[in-house]
């Protein structure tokens, strides 16, 4: 597959690197279309390259001893997986699962040898890695705080507001929401019905619409947390 010359421009560092560096980067790129739900990395995998999300989203998650899943973070367009970057630079096996979200994803891959060389030579590449690291550390600390301190309902509200589009619509099934939160569908169904009965959301198959965002925000503000 021929990769467009501007394919890498969705990533801020690629617009800042030198022209010769960008040419080397483009020559090494591969573009993969990942089907919805397909895993791209598993625990224990050796990471041999860098994954850059061009479109769609990649969900990074864990599986607990009871078999339940929980989302650690999403890799959105213009971002990379910091756990994979860490594994690449330290030769530590990948510690989680990474899978395309329900709409699938387009992922650009750069070989580890080329990315390491560019990292050593170009400050824009170095800034990209450190920005990815600092942003992800903050979001993971926030995730741990929410998991330990917030009730399930407040965590669900945060997830709904985080994943809503501009129209306030979340196109996710209750089973998917439960996997993100590390719980079971029955718990999510009960919590959603409670929110719907108060007029804050509207429920439909694989679709939730936020009707009163201010009241939802007040719920999590009263719980002492901010939105992501």
């Amino acid at each position: 597959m021929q990769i467009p010359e501007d394919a890498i421009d969705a990533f801020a560092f690629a617009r800042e690197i030198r022209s010769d560096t960008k040419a080397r980067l483009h020559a090494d790129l591969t573009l993969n279309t990942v089907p919805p739900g397909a895993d791209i990395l598993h625990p224990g995998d050796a990471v041999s390259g860098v994954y850059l999300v061009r479109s769609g989203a990649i969900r990074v998650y864990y599986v607990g001893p009871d078999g339940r899943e929980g989302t650690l973070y999403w890799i959105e367009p213009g971002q990379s997986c910091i756990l994979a970057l860490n594994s690449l630079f330290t030769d530590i096996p990948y510690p989680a699962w990474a899978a395309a979200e329900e709409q699938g994803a387009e992922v650009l891959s750069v070989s580890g040898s080329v990315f390491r060389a560019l990292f050593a030579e170009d400050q824009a590449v170095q800034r990209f890695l450190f920005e990815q690291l600092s942003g992800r550390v903050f979001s993971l600390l926030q995730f741990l705080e929410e998991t330990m301190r917030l009730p399930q309902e407040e965590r669900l509200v945060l997830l709904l507001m985080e994943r809503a589009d501009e129209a306030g619509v979340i196109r996710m099934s209750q089973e998917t929401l439960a996997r993100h939160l590390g719980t079971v569908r029955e718990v999510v169904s009960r919590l959603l019905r409670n929110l719907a009965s108060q007029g804050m959301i509207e429920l439909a198959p694989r679709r939730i619409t936020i009707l009163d965002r201010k009241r939802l925000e007040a719920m999590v503000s009263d719980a002492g947390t901010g939105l992501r």
Side-chain angles (χ1 to χ4, degrees):
M1 178 186 300
Q2 186 173 4
I3 301 175
E5 289 291 336
D6 62 351
I8 198 66
D9 287 347
F11 303 87
F13 78 93
R15 299 192 294 270
E16 301 173 5
I17 57 179
R18 302 187 307 267
S19 57
D20 60 322
T21 304
K22 187 173 183 179
R24 289 171 59 195
L25 179 63
H26 186 273
D28 190 67
L29 288 177
T30 57
L31 177 60
N32 300 295
T33 300
V34 186
D39 288 322
I40 64 170
L41 286 168
H42 307 84
D45 282 353
V47 177
S48 59
V50 175
Y51 302 96
L52 306 167
V53 176
R54 187 184 182 211
S55 66
I58 298 293
R59 173 187 176 231
V60 179
Y61 65 100
Y62 65 90
V63 179
D66 58 0
R68 294 179 186 172
E69 298 177 6
T71 300
L72 292 170
Y73 56 85
W74 285 273
I75 313 167
E76 307 283 0
Q79 297 179 343
S80 185
C81 179
I82 194 61
L83 290 179
L85 286 166
N86 180 68
S87 293
L88 175 67
F89 278 86
T90 62
D91 293 324
I92 295 174
Y94 193 73
W97 300 78
E101 275 286 68
E102 295 184 342
Q103 291 74 39
E106 280 189 328
V107 179
L108 292 166
S109 299
V110 184
S111 68
S113 58
V114 168
F115 190 84
R116 285 193 188 97
L118 298 182
F119 178 81
E121 299 169 8
D122 200 299
Q123 291 184 352
V125 180
Q126 296 168 12
R127 284 197 300 273
F128 172 74
L129 189 148
F130 291 127
E131 287 168 0
Q132 295 289 299
L133 175 61
S134 60
R136 195 59 70 195
V137 167
F138 177 81
S139 67
L140 286 172
L141 288 174
Q142 191 174 40
F143 164 77
L144 290 172
E145 180 187 13
E146 292 170 3
T147 301
M148 292 186 293
R149 186 168 58 83
L150 292 183
Q152 285 279 14
E153 186 172 49
E154 279 77 6
R155 292 182 60 214
L156 174 60
V157 168
L158 283 170
L159 178 60
L160 293 177
M161 289 190 289
E162 183 178 5
R163 304 312 295 175
D165 62 20
E166 293 182 357
V169 175
I170 304 98
R171 292 177 174 83
M172 299 169 69
S173 68
Q174 294 183 12
E175 180 66 34
T176 300
L177 289 170
R179 290 204 305 272
H180 286 314
L181 294 172
T183 187
V184 295
R185 187 190 63 78
E186 290 76 13
V187 170
V188 169
S189 179
R190 173 174 53 80
L191 295 175
L192 289 173
R193 289 197 304 270
N194 180 52
L195 295 173
S197 69
Q198 299 177 65
M200 288 187 274
I201 63 172
E202 180 180 67
L203 300 178
R206 301 183 69 84
R207 179 187 175 101
I208 300 162
T209 304
I210 292 177
L211 301 179
D212 195 334
R213 188 178 181 93
K214 288 185 178 180
R215 288 175 64 195
L216 292 176
E217 289 176 347
M219 287 180 62
V220 292
S221 294
D222 292 343
T225 186
L227 300 182
R228 297 183 191 181

